[in-house]
Amino acid sequence: TKDPFYLHSARLPQTRSELALPIQVDEELFGVLDVLSHNDQPLGTEDLRVLQVLSNHLGTSIHNRNLLESTQRHRDELVALQAIANAAMEATNEDDLIACSTEIVGETLYPENFGVLLINEEGLLHHHQSYKERGRKKPPPIPMGTGITGLVAMSGMAMRIGDIGDEPKYIPVDTATRSELCVPIKLGQQVIGVMNAESSQRNAFSQADQDLL
């Protein structure tokens, strides 16, 4: 009650003392371990020592988990890229290559909504037959500049949307979608289509995902 930085909570009216420690490894911060007590005897040096050990263990565990996930992700990416390279040598036509690549990348890395849209003779984006998308069977062609895919096709610049609710140009298709990543497919400087991935999680795509696509 004497500390101006304490945030009083109606749910914890009897709190008398508090200890807060950063959960981190080196300079990488993951969160905070926060302990509150209603005892008359305040949390002291011994409590701090014990909780510091726990905080260190938590930081190390989270750091190791993140390293493992990153390593597994990198392995999956390498496997997918190698499989696509093999498919490129074996495919006899463009449709087979796109279908095989969509299957590999969609199943391995982006299992929700993923696929290729190509620009047709009328200048409209059409979903390749291999496009994996929930919610509709025969999507209509998309005009250039319309929606995220149309904007990317027109500008030739990738777009990564952390929350589609903040993007007025987004065209609702799958009600579960929360984030989207779209990159142009180019032949030299000419945009011939886009690759598009969507997720039901907000901020699902990173710069690493964009670089990979």
Side-chain angles (χ1 to χ4, degrees):
T1 59
K2 298 178 181 179
D3 194 311
F5 290 103
Y6 176 69
L7 297 177
H8 293 272
S9 170
R11 294 174 53 249
L12 302 167
Q14 297 181 356
T15 297
R16 291 293 176 268
S17 58
E18 180 178 16
L19 273 176
L21 303 93
I23 301 172
Q24 65 184 51
V25 172
D26 297 327
E27 299 300 319
E28 188 176 10
L29 178 67
F30 302 112
V32 174
L33 176 63
D34 189 38
V35 179
L36 301 103
S37 173
H38 62 266
N39 294 328
D40 292 333
Q41 184 68 29
L43 295 165
T45 303
E46 181 60 21
D47 299 297
L48 178 62
R49 186 188 67 80
V50 172
L51 291 172
Q52 184 66 67
V53 172
L54 176 58
S55 175
N56 291 341
H57 280 305
L58 284 172
T60 301
S61 297
I62 295 171
H63 177 70
N64 290 340
R65 182 205 64 191
N66 290 349
L67 281 179
L68 179 60
E69 290 179 350
S70 177
T71 300
Q72 292 174 334
R73 174 70 174 191
H74 184 58
R75 181 202 61 194
D76 291 342
E77 290 176 356
L78 290 176
V79 169
L81 290 173
Q82 182 60 50
I84 291 172
N86 293 338
M89 292 187 291
E90 298 173 0
T92 58
N93 57 65
E94 177 184 287
D95 285 333
D96 288 346
L97 175 58
I98 293 175
C100 185
S101 298
T102 298
E103 183 70 22
I104 293 168
V105 177
E107 292 295 330
T108 307
L109 303 174
Y110 309 111
E112 294 189 60
N113 290 343
F114 177 77
V116 169
L117 298 90
L118 298 174
I119 301 174
N120 62 17
E121 294 80 1
E122 289 78 32
L124 300 174
L125 277 172
H126 69 94
H127 291 68
H128 190 265
Q129 59 188 8
S130 62
Y131 198 104
K132 296 180 178 298
E133 185 171 36
R134 300 171 304 196
R136 60 181 180 183
K137 296 181 179 179
K138 294 182 178 180
I142 299 174
M144 299 288 277
T146 301
I148 305 303
T149 54
L151 286 172
V152 171
M154 185 173 66
S155 69
M157 303 291 290
M159 291 184 67
R160 189 170 78 249
I161 311 300
D163 187 344
I164 52 91
D166 297 331
E167 177 50 62
K169 293 290 187 179
Y170 176 74
I171 301 175
V173 176
D174 181 356
T175 56
T177 296
R178 293 295 177 268
S179 57
E180 182 172 5
L181 171 61
C182 186
V183 301
I185 302 173
K186 294 182 178 181
L187 184 61
Q189 295 301 311
Q190 180 186 3
V191 177
I192 61 174
V194 300
M195 276 191 291
N196 192 56
E198 296 178 329
S199 173
S200 58
Q201 303 296 318
R202 289 183 173 85
N203 300 306
F205 305 107
S206 65
Q207 183 63 49
D209 292 301
Q210 183 173 322
D211 295 340
L212 176 68
L213 287 187

